[in-house]
Short mmCIF file of all heavy atoms in Angstrom, two decimals:
data_model
loop_
_atom_site.label_atom_id
_atom_site.label_comp_id
_atom_site.label_asym_id
_atom_site.label_seq_id
_atom_site.Cartn_x
_atom_site.Cartn_y
_atom_site.Cartn_z
N LEU T 8 -6.00 19.35 15.54
CA LEU T 8 -5.65 18.30 16.52
C LEU T 8 -6.25 16.93 16.13
O LEU T 8 -5.55 15.90 16.33
CB LEU T 8 -6.22 18.69 17.96
CG LEU T 8 -5.56 19.86 18.63
CD1 LEU T 8 -6.33 20.32 19.85
CD2 LEU T 8 -4.10 19.55 19.04
N LYS T 9 -7.48 16.95 15.62
CA LYS T 9 -8.04 15.66 15.21
C LYS T 9 -7.33 15.08 14.06
O LYS T 9 -7.14 13.89 13.91
CB LYS T 9 -9.55 15.91 14.82
CG LYS T 9 -10.45 16.14 15.99
CD LYS T 9 -11.84 16.35 15.61
CE LYS T 9 -12.74 16.41 16.87
NZ LYS T 9 -14.18 16.62 16.48
N LYS T 10 -6.81 15.91 13.14
CA LYS T 10 -5.95 15.41 12.06
C LYS T 10 -4.68 14.78 12.59
O LYS T 10 -4.25 13.73 12.12
CB LYS T 10 -5.65 16.61 11.09
CG LYS T 10 -4.89 16.14 9.82
CD LYS T 10 -4.72 17.26 8.90
CE LYS T 10 -3.92 16.83 7.70
NZ LYS T 10 -4.57 15.73 6.92
N ALA T 11 -4.13 15.46 13.64
CA ALA T 11 -2.88 14.87 14.22
C ALA T 11 -3.12 13.49 14.87
O ALA T 11 -2.24 12.69 14.94
CB ALA T 11 -2.35 15.92 15.26
N LEU T 12 -4.33 13.31 15.42
CA LEU T 12 -4.63 12.09 16.12
C LEU T 12 -4.57 10.84 15.18
O LEU T 12 -4.42 9.76 15.61
CB LEU T 12 -5.99 12.18 16.73
CG LEU T 12 -6.18 13.04 17.96
CD1 LEU T 12 -7.63 13.11 18.42
CD2 LEU T 12 -5.26 12.73 19.10
N GLU T 13 -4.60 11.16 13.88
CA GLU T 13 -4.46 10.04 12.94
C GLU T 13 -3.11 9.38 12.99
O GLU T 13 -2.92 8.26 12.61
CB GLU T 13 -4.70 10.59 11.50
CG GLU T 13 -6.19 11.09 11.26
CD GLU T 13 -6.29 11.77 9.94
OE1 GLU T 13 -5.33 11.77 9.13
OE2 GLU T 13 -7.37 12.36 9.66
N ASP T 14 -2.15 10.13 13.53
CA ASP T 14 -0.81 9.60 13.67
C ASP T 14 -0.55 8.93 15.04
O ASP T 14 0.49 8.40 15.28
CB ASP T 14 0.23 10.72 13.54
CG ASP T 14 0.51 11.09 12.10
OD1 ASP T 14 -0.23 10.65 11.27
OD2 ASP T 14 1.46 11.95 11.86
N PHE T 15 -1.55 9.01 15.94
CA PHE T 15 -1.46 8.35 17.24
C PHE T 15 -2.66 7.41 17.42
O PHE T 15 -3.65 7.74 18.09
CB PHE T 15 -1.52 9.50 18.35
CG PHE T 15 -0.41 10.44 18.29
CD1 PHE T 15 -0.50 11.68 17.70
CD2 PHE T 15 0.85 10.05 18.76
CE1 PHE T 15 0.54 12.60 17.66
CE2 PHE T 15 1.99 10.99 18.69
CZ PHE T 15 1.77 12.23 18.18
N LYS T 16 -2.56 6.29 16.83
CA LYS T 16 -3.66 5.29 16.85
C LYS T 16 -4.00 4.84 18.24
O LYS T 16 -5.18 4.46 18.49
CB LYS T 16 -3.24 4.05 15.98
CG LYS T 16 -2.84 4.47 14.57
CD LYS T 16 -3.96 5.10 13.78
CE LYS T 16 -3.58 5.37 12.31
NZ LYS T 16 -4.66 6.12 11.57
N ASP T 17 -3.05 4.83 19.17
CA ASP T 17 -3.28 4.21 20.50
C ASP T 17 -3.66 5.31 21.50
O ASP T 17 -3.75 5.00 22.69
CB ASP T 17 -2.11 3.44 21.00
CG ASP T 17 -0.80 4.31 20.96
OD1 ASP T 17 -0.81 5.39 20.31
OD2 ASP T 17 0.12 3.88 21.64
N ILE T 18 -3.86 6.49 21.08
CA ILE T 18 -4.14 7.59 22.02
C ILE T 18 -5.63 7.58 22.43
O ILE T 18 -6.53 7.24 21.59
CB ILE T 18 -3.73 8.95 21.47
CG1 ILE T 18 -3.66 10.05 22.56
CG2 ILE T 18 -4.79 9.41 20.38
CD1 ILE T 18 -3.00 11.37 22.05
N LYS T 19 -5.94 7.95 23.69
CA LYS T 19 -7.30 8.12 24.13
C LYS T 19 -7.44 9.50 24.71
O LYS T 19 -6.80 9.93 25.69
CB LYS T 19 -7.62 7.06 25.28
CG LYS T 19 -7.57 5.58 24.77
CD LYS T 19 -7.98 4.64 25.93
CE LYS T 19 -7.97 3.20 25.35
NZ LYS T 19 -8.39 2.23 26.45
N ILE T 20 -8.34 10.24 24.00
CA ILE T 20 -8.56 11.63 24.39
C ILE T 20 -9.93 12.03 23.97
O ILE T 20 -10.47 11.67 22.94
CB ILE T 20 -7.50 12.60 23.68
CG1 ILE T 20 -7.66 14.02 24.17
CG2 ILE T 20 -7.58 12.51 22.13
CD1 ILE T 20 -6.45 14.91 23.78
N ASP T 21 -10.63 12.76 24.85
CA ASP T 21 -12.03 13.10 24.60
C ASP T 21 -12.14 14.55 24.00
O ASP T 21 -11.22 15.30 23.98
CB ASP T 21 -12.89 12.98 25.77
CG ASP T 21 -12.42 13.78 27.02
OD1 ASP T 21 -11.76 14.83 26.74
OD2 ASP T 21 -12.64 13.36 28.16
N GLU T 22 -13.32 14.81 23.54
CA GLU T 22 -13.65 16.17 22.97
C GLU T 22 -13.35 17.29 23.92
O GLU T 22 -12.83 18.37 23.51
CB GLU T 22 -15.06 16.20 22.39
CG GLU T 22 -15.39 15.36 21.18
CD GLU T 22 -14.90 15.99 19.91
OE1 GLU T 22 -14.64 17.21 19.91
OE2 GLU T 22 -14.77 15.23 18.97
N GLU T 23 -13.69 17.07 25.14
CA GLU T 23 -13.52 18.11 26.15
C GLU T 23 -12.01 18.58 26.32
O GLU T 23 -11.72 19.70 26.46
CB GLU T 23 -14.09 17.68 27.53
CG GLU T 23 -14.10 18.75 28.57
CD GLU T 23 -14.66 18.32 29.89
OE1 GLU T 23 -14.94 17.06 30.03
OE2 GLU T 23 -14.82 19.16 30.83
N THR T 24 -11.17 17.49 26.26
CA THR T 24 -9.75 17.77 26.36
C THR T 24 -9.16 18.45 25.15
O THR T 24 -8.40 19.34 25.22
CB THR T 24 -9.00 16.45 26.63
OG1 THR T 24 -9.57 15.83 27.78
CG2 THR T 24 -7.52 16.71 26.87
N LEU T 25 -9.62 18.06 23.98
CA LEU T 25 -9.28 18.70 22.72
C LEU T 25 -9.69 20.16 22.80
O LEU T 25 -8.90 21.06 22.36
CB LEU T 25 -9.89 18.03 21.56
CG LEU T 25 -9.36 16.63 21.15
CD1 LEU T 25 -10.14 16.03 20.00
CD2 LEU T 25 -7.90 16.69 20.84
N ASP T 26 -10.87 20.41 23.24
CA ASP T 26 -11.41 21.80 23.39
C ASP T 26 -10.52 22.64 24.36
O ASP T 26 -10.32 23.79 24.12
CB ASP T 26 -12.86 21.77 23.82
CG ASP T 26 -13.46 23.18 23.75
OD1 ASP T 26 -13.81 23.59 22.67
OD2 ASP T 26 -13.67 23.76 24.81
N TYR T 27 -10.11 21.93 25.44
CA TYR T 27 -9.28 22.64 26.45
C TYR T 27 -7.92 22.97 25.83
O TYR T 27 -7.41 24.09 26.09
CB TYR T 27 -9.13 21.65 27.63
CG TYR T 27 -8.26 22.34 28.79
CD1 TYR T 27 -8.75 23.39 29.51
CD2 TYR T 27 -6.99 21.85 29.07
CE1 TYR T 27 -7.97 23.95 30.50
CE2 TYR T 27 -6.24 22.42 30.02
CZ TYR T 27 -6.72 23.45 30.80
OH TYR T 27 -5.95 23.97 31.77
N ILE T 28 -7.29 22.04 25.08
CA ILE T 28 -6.01 22.39 24.47
C ILE T 28 -6.20 23.56 23.47
O ILE T 28 -5.33 24.44 23.40
CB ILE T 28 -5.49 21.14 23.69
CG1 ILE T 28 -5.17 20.06 24.70
CG2 ILE T 28 -4.26 21.46 22.88
CD1 ILE T 28 -4.74 18.76 24.06
N ALA T 29 -7.33 23.54 22.70
CA ALA T 29 -7.60 24.60 21.78
C ALA T 29 -7.73 25.94 22.45
O ALA T 29 -7.26 27.00 22.01
CB ALA T 29 -8.82 24.27 20.98
N THR T 30 -8.39 25.93 23.57
CA THR T 30 -8.47 27.18 24.44
C THR T 30 -7.14 27.70 24.91
O THR T 30 -6.90 28.86 24.79
CB THR T 30 -9.46 26.90 25.66
OG1 THR T 30 -10.74 26.49 25.16
CG2 THR T 30 -9.60 28.15 26.47
N LEU T 31 -6.28 26.82 25.36
CA LEU T 31 -4.99 27.19 25.88
C LEU T 31 -4.10 27.73 24.73
O LEU T 31 -3.36 28.63 24.99
CB LEU T 31 -4.31 25.97 26.45
CG LEU T 31 -4.70 25.50 27.86
CD1 LEU T 31 -3.89 24.29 28.22
CD2 LEU T 31 -4.54 26.57 28.88
N SER T 32 -4.32 27.29 23.57
CA SER T 32 -3.50 27.66 22.38
C SER T 32 -3.65 29.06 21.90
O SER T 32 -2.88 29.61 21.26
CB SER T 32 -3.65 26.71 21.28
OG SER T 32 -4.85 26.92 20.52
N SER T 33 -4.85 29.67 22.18
CA SER T 33 -5.19 31.01 21.77
C SER T 33 -4.88 31.22 20.29
O SER T 33 -4.31 32.25 19.91
CB SER T 33 -4.41 32.02 22.59
OG SER T 33 -4.76 31.89 24.01
N GLY T 34 -5.31 30.26 19.48
CA GLY T 34 -5.16 30.40 18.05
C GLY T 34 -3.79 30.03 17.43
O GLY T 34 -3.51 30.18 16.29
N ASP T 35 -2.92 29.49 18.28
CA ASP T 35 -1.57 29.00 17.81
C ASP T 35 -1.58 27.54 17.61
O ASP T 35 -1.49 26.71 18.56
CB ASP T 35 -0.50 29.39 18.92
CG ASP T 35 0.93 29.17 18.44
OD1 ASP T 35 1.13 28.26 17.62
OD2 ASP T 35 1.78 29.85 18.92
#
């Protein structure tokens, strides 16, 4: 996800939200 953020320069997202997305993804 952090690598993907390099393509979204104007995005604002915190570590907690990234962790939440990762939890939802269940390894996908």
Side-chain angles (χ1 to χ4, degrees):
L8 290 170
K9 286 182 176 179
K10 184 174 179 61
L12 291 177
E13 296 172 6
D14 282 11
F15 298 101
K16 304 298 183 183
D17 55 343
I18 197 171
K19 292 183 179 180
I20 186 169
D21 57 27
E22 289 282 342
E23 187 180 7
T24 304
L25 290 174
D26 188 75
Y27 181 70
I28 294 174
T30 299
L31 287 179
S32 73
S33 298
D35 187 333

